[in-house]
Amino acid sequence: MYDPRFRISPHLLQLIARAAELRGWIAQAVVDVPWLPALQRDTAARLAHSSTSIEGNPLSLPEVNALARGEEVGAPPTARREILNYLAAMRWVWGRRTAGPIREPDLLRLHRLLVQGVLPQEQAGRYKTRPNRVVDHRGRTIYTPPPPGAAGPLTRDLLAWLTSDRAAALPPVLVSSVAH
């Protein structure tokens, strides 16, 4: 089984405690204000922008905000589709009826949502079949992920760890960090 390597330093423990305090404070707060939907839309747009821009999406934050509001922007179709897919995937995650653990079919469905109309249909919701790499803006390789044959087993290992007793004994923010 996957066994993440990390060290809980005093500083990290202090940050985890502070996060738990803030989570408790937020959970007790009553937020019923008319601007909440706009705040949620803005948050979704910021998440979509930051997550897709590191993958090379050229849209600016104002353009992503416009797409989140349902407006059209003059951008390459694939770039628009990536943002719209990301927003749809977040709506799916936030609207999940079950609060249970994320399973492999959930991840594959999420992948389908993220790549719909971007990758060929036969690749959507499936593990990769070819090697890939992450490159910087100059085309230099900055990360080479595991080969195609390892993607499924490694993912299942991570999911098994995420649902293990060991992970359950850790603060959720730490488990989320490992998952990320």
Side-chain angles (χ1 to χ4, degrees):
M1 179 190 299
Y2 175 66
D3 186 25
R5 296 173 193 207
F6 56 87
R7 186 175 65 83
I8 301 178
S9 67
H11 179 68
L12 178 60
L13 190 56
Q14 183 180 23
L15 292 173
I16 290 170
R18 181 70 179 134
E21 290 171 13
L22 289 171
R23 182 180 186 272
W25 180 77
I26 290 169
Q28 291 178 339
V30 176
V31 180
D32 186 22
V33 291
W35 47 264
L36 187 59
L39 179 63
Q40 290 169 327
R41 186 175 52 247
D42 181 65
T43 300
R46 287 177 186 276
L47 287 169
H49 176 259
S50 62
S51 292
T52 59
S53 67
I54 64 172
E55 297 290 335
N57 190 295
L59 272 65
S60 66
L61 181 57
E63 290 170 317
V64 172
N65 269 310
L67 284 173
R69 290 189 303 267
E71 301 169 12
E72 283 297 319
V73 297
T78 300
R80 283 195 318 266
R81 173 58 33 216
E82 285 177 348
I83 297 296
L84 294 173
N85 287 355
Y86 193 94
L87 294 168
M90 284 193 305
R91 282 191 302 273
W92 178 77
V93 168
W94 291 340
R96 281 183 74 217
R97 296 277 183 228
T98 60
I102 295 176
R103 307 263 184 229
E104 187 178 24
D106 299 321
L107 287 181
L108 296 175
R109 179 172 180 184
L110 192 56
H111 184 262
R112 249 190 327 277
L113 290 170
L114 288 168
V115 302
Q116 182 180 15
V118 175
L119 290 180
Q121 187 63 30
E122 63 272 7
Q123 293 177 17
R126 302 188 191 291
Y127 288 107
K128 65 183 181 176
T129 58
R130 294 183 318 214
N132 63 320
R133 60 195 176 109
V134 178
V135 298
D136 66 12
H137 64 283
R138 291 188 179 111
R140 291 182 300 204
T141 300
I142 57 173
Y143 176 69
T144 302
L154 289 171
T155 300
R156 287 186 285 278
D157 252 9
L158 174 61
L159 290 172
W161 181 83
L162 289 170
T163 58
S164 71
D165 290 341
R166 178 154 187 251
L170 295 170
V173 69
L174 188 55
V175 175
S176 299
S177 299
V178 170
H180 183 266

